[in-house]
Amino acid sequence: MYLRSIATAVPPESLTQESCWATLKAGSLLTELRPRSIALLEKILTGGSSGIARRNFALHQFSNSHARSAEELNQAFEKEAAPLASHALLSALKKSGHVATDVDALFVCTCTGYLCPGVTSYLAEQMGMRADVYLADLVGLGCGAAIPMMRAAQGFLAANPTAVVATVAVEICSAAYFASDDPGVLISLCLFGDGAAAAIWTATGEANDWQAGHFTTTHRPEEREKIRFVNSAGKLKNQLDRAVPTLAAEAVAELFAQRKGEPDQVLAHSGGRDVVEALEGVLPFKLTETREVLNDHGNMSSPSVMFALEKRLAVPEHDDKRLWLTAFGAGFAAHACEL
């Protein structure tokens, strides 16, 4: 399948890591944590070594997000997910020369909230799509979801070669913030931000258009408990083990060995500073765009790899012929494809 356009969007509220620390101090969270936990938060948010300069948040009063009930958090996800997704999708449609009624299939991936019907229903309504548009929500795939979503879109286009397909990765991570003295939870609080990335795809293209293919996956369920969401009193609690950077590097190296060609650049999910460094340790590339996304927005979960792709494609001086994309997360699973 061929990429017609790509676009991203973030909420307007942008906080530096230092501002996040100041906001936390002004709220009630720190009164509920042990001194050692408070010291860890301060170190990450003010130490300047996280690789993150700022993050965007859809939920205002970030400092008190942890105090919202499970119902309030999911209501916030329901309120914010579709509008943020629509901003990205509208831009992608304009770039491709299409309008919403041209879309024959809409795929959305997310893991930071649950709706039934899914985000596709709300997004299709807001965009004014046709009543017969095919809607598919991919949930539960975590940070790696954008690439399996692309693979699903490829399957739809194989069966419907005249179709126009839209894919959207959207995460409201601020609707999934959880607070406790667990170090993995505290690190997550310092990493994640909100964002959305949309792309338009068709089955045919011109000679110089980017074509996606050769999708690969590795799934390691024996490592599932090292990185996943768990349900804690109805809330999503991120379970994050210190072994994740090593796991990610091993899985990505395995997939990279299966590549069909030699890429001009690797574009990866920006999981965090330690993850990026681990990936660079097993790949013959400096992950420049991945680091830039991490710096500008933090870890946005599933949209992150598409943010890196958009950055790379925005610089024509690269004169790239082949790109290799990879994303990974809950499962433990890792995915890759070639453009």
Side-chain angles (χ1 to χ4, degrees):
M1 67 177 180
Y2 290 83
L3 178 64
R4 314 311 308 174
S5 65
I6 185 171
T8 59
V10 293
E13 183 174 13
S14 177
L15 295 178
T16 64
Q17 291 289 73
E18 291 79 6
S19 296
C20 288
W21 172 243
T23 303
L24 288 176
K25 287 199 298 181
S28 61
L29 172 60
L30 299 189
T31 63
E32 303 173 19
L33 298 177
R34 297 172 183 169
R36 185 174 180 178
S37 299
I38 297 171
L40 177 60
L41 285 173
E42 183 177 16
K43 178 181 178 181
I44 296 174
L45 292 173
T46 66
S49 60
S50 67
I52 300 171
R54 59 177 59 246
R55 294 176 285 162
N56 296 82
F57 302 101
L59 269 66
H60 301 294
Q61 297 181 333
F62 159 73
S63 63
N64 292 320
S65 292
H66 73 284
R68 303 187 189 202
S69 69
E71 181 179 0
E72 289 171 331
L73 289 172
N74 205 58
Q75 287 174 344
F77 175 83
E78 181 175 345
K79 177 183 177 182
E80 302 292 349
L84 184 59
S86 69
H87 289 162
L89 182 52
L90 182 61
S91 296
L93 285 168
K94 287 182 178 179
K95 289 181 180 180
S96 70
H98 289 95
V99 294
T101 51
D102 293 334
V103 176
D104 299 295
L106 172 64
F107 292 80
V108 171
C109 68
T110 191
C111 68
T112 46
Y114 176 74
L115 300 177
C116 184
V119 176
T120 56
S121 174
Y122 299 84
L123 180 55
E125 178 187 27
Q126 290 185 16
M127 297 293 295
M129 292 182 178
R130 305 191 316 265
D132 65 346
V133 63
Y134 174 75
L135 305 178
D137 291 85
L138 283 75
V139 298
L141 294 178
C143 295
I147 294 177
M149 176 175 60
M150 291 165 55
R151 193 172 190 173
Q154 183 191 48
F156 183 91
L157 283 168
N160 303 274
T162 63
V164 174
V165 173
T167 59
V168 184
V170 58
E171 303 290 2
I172 309 299
C173 296
S174 57
Y177 281 152
F178 187 96
S180 74
D181 288 298
D182 183 311
V185 166
L186 297 172
I187 291 171
S188 297
L189 194 64
C190 300
L191 291 181
F192 286 92
D194 302 340
I200 306 299
W201 307 88
T202 56
T204 58
E206 303 298 326
N208 292 326
D209 291 339
W210 287 101
Q211 183 180 16
H214 190 50
F215 290 87
T216 54
T217 287
T218 181
H219 179 217
R220 303 178 179 183
E222 67 276 9
E223 306 291 0
R224 182 184 296 129
E225 296 305 316
K226 290 189 171 65
I227 177 170
R228 59 167 294 204
F229 269 137
V230 297
N231 189 305
S232 180
K235 293 185 179 182
L236 293 173
K237 175 184 176 184
N238 196 35
Q239 194 158 284
L240 184 64
D241 191 274
R242 65 178 61 189
V244 166
T246 300
L247 280 174
E250 291 174 350
V252 167
E254 175 186 327
L255 296 180
F256 189 70
Q258 301 173 33
R259 69 194 184 281
K260 280 191 172 180
E262 296 304 319
D264 296 295
Q265 178 61 312
V266 168
L267 304 167
H269 164 56
S270 52
R273 182 204 63 190
D274 292 348
V275 170
V276 176
E277 290 178 355
L279 295 182
E280 289 181 336
V282 298
L283 296 169
F285 291 93
K286 290 294 183 183
L287 304 181
T288 305
E289 292 78 13
T290 298
R291 286 185 177 275
E292 290 175 355
V293 171
L294 183 65
N295 180 79
D296 296 343
H297 305 292
N299 179 346
M300 294 173 288
S301 189
S302 64
S304 297
V305 67
M306 303 305 286
F307 271 70
L309 175 60
E310 183 190 41
K311 276 185 173 292
R312 187 73 181 188
L313 297 184
V315 184
E317 290 80 3
H318 288 310
D319 194 28
D320 295 326
K321 302 301 181 186
R322 185 183 294 266
L323 299 171
W324 193 77
L325 276 63
T326 186
F328 38 84
F332 176 83
H335 316 277
C337 72
E338 295 183 35
L339 285 178

